[in-house]
Amino acid sequence: MGRRIMIVGNGEMPQGVADLIDLSDIVIRFNDCRSLGAGGSRTDVVAVCNTGRPGREMSEGAAWRDNEGVQQASAIWSVRDPAKFSQMEPDIRARWPELTDFCADYTAGFAALAEETGKSHLVIPRGVHERLDHALQVYAPAPYVCPSTGLLAIAHVLETVSGGDDEVSIAGFGHHGWNGHPFAAEKQLVDALTHEGRLTRISPISIFSASEGA
């Protein structure tokens, strides 16, 4: 029997999901781990936005280091490949001039924190980002800056982390937020992956089914 890998977004949680999440073999959370509480407590990986203002605030801020999820995690994933975002920067500045510091890179700060605290650190390869850009085009998104942190982590797990017998589930993904991410297309892509059986989206119905089978 394979592992249960749970990817927990920062959106609304189905009621009663906490215990199911905490029983998983690997739990991945995002940035400031706002999913803690209603989304359980176990945290194995924190996937972070490692560029721009969020990257600076997390990597340089004591509050983020003291976060319960960050302290518990054994790994930090930086989801944005610095070389990829450096290459993207001229186009981003031309098309979205208000994003003056969007590509500022704070990956080194996350790597240093990981080393100091005995965690592993991974930069998700740029190929994941580029394959997502290609996959999203099927859904004709409006011009966007980049895929969301959540989608990049989902793609990395499906490509590299999970094995054939593993079950990859997601919870707390509402697919809305900053308009620089193509959330409508992302939802369609995630729904397609769910239809193909590559992902399971946790809902009140799926929680009930899991408890009935326990």
Side-chain angles (χ1 to χ4, degrees), residues 4 7 38 52 68 81 103 129 154-155 170 208:
R4 175 182 288 160
I7 307 171
E68 178 186 347
D81 181 278
C103 295
H129 181 152
I154 289 171
I170 63 170
F208 178 79

Side-chain angles (χ1 to χ4, degrees), residues 1-2 6-7 14 27 34 40 48-49 54 63 74 81 83 90 95 97 100-101 130 139 194 206:
M1 183 176 178
M6 187 72 70
I7 307 171
V27 177
R34 293 196 307 277
V48 299
C49 172
S74 59
D81 181 278
R95 300 177 72 179
T100 55
D101 62 349
E130 290 166 354
Y139 307 103
T194 301
S206 63

Side-chain angles (χ1 to χ4, degrees), residues 78-117:
S78 292
V79 304
R80 295 178 175 174
D81 181 278
K84 171 69 175 175
F85 277 76
S86 178
Q87 183 182 42
M88 291 167 58
E89 185 170 14
D91 183 60
I92 289 174
R93 284 182 173 271
R95 300 177 72 179
W96 295 279
E98 70 278 12
L99 300 180
T100 55
D101 62 349
F102 187 80
C103 295
D105 179 30
Y106 297 95
T107 309
F110 290 108
L113 172 63
E115 184 173 5
E116 290 168 13
T117 55

Side-chain angles (χ1 to χ4, degrees), residues 46-68:
V46 179
V48 299
C49 172
N50 50 303
T51 73
R53 194 171 307 162
R56 184 188 73 230
E57 291 175 352
M58 287 186 288
S59 65
E60 297 180 356
W64 186 78
R65 294 169 180 244
D66 293 338
N67 180 287
E68 178 186 347

Side-chain angles (χ1 to χ4, degrees), residues 34-199:
R34 293 196 307 277
S35 57
L36 288 169
S41 60
R42 176 170 181 159
T43 309
D44 298 286
V45 177
V46 179
V48 299
C49 172
N50 50 303
T51 73
R53 194 171 307 162
R56 184 188 73 230
E57 291 175 352
M58 287 186 288
S59 65
E60 297 180 356
W64 186 78
R65 294 169 180 244
D66 293 338
N67 180 287
E68 178 186 347
V70 175
Q71 290 193 337
Q72 184 183 156
S74 59
I76 296 172
W77 292 355
S78 292
V79 304
R80 295 178 175 174
D81 181 278
K84 171 69 175 175
F85 277 76
S86 178
Q87 183 182 42
M88 291 167 58
E89 185 170 14
D91 183 60
I92 289 174
R93 284 182 173 271
R95 300 177 72 179
W96 295 279
E98 70 278 12
L99 300 180
T100 55
D101 62 349
F102 187 80
C103 295
D105 179 30
Y106 297 95
T107 309
F110 290 108
L113 172 63
E115 184 173 5
E116 290 168 13
T117 55
K119 306 179 192 301
S120 64
H121 176 255
L122 166 78
V123 178
I124 292 180
R126 65 184 296 162
V128 175
H129 181 152
E130 290 166 354
R131 285 185 289 277
L132 277 178
D133 281 337
H134 179 74
L136 288 165
Q137 292 310 305
V138 173
Y139 307 103
Y144 65 90
V145 181
C146 65
S148 68
T149 300
L151 190 66
L152 285 161
I154 289 171
H156 174 65
V157 169
L158 292 176
E159 287 191 13
T160 305
V161 177
S162 63
D165 294 329
D166 294 335
E167 178 185 357
V168 181
S169 300
I170 63 170
F173 280 80
H175 306 290
H176 56 78
W178 181 54
N179 61 11
H181 298 317
F183 280 118
E186 290 193 7
K187 182 181 186 303
Q188 290 177 284
L189 177 57
V190 169
D191 286 346
L193 292 169
T194 301
H195 181 73
E196 293 168 8
R198 299 184 64 194
L199 278 178

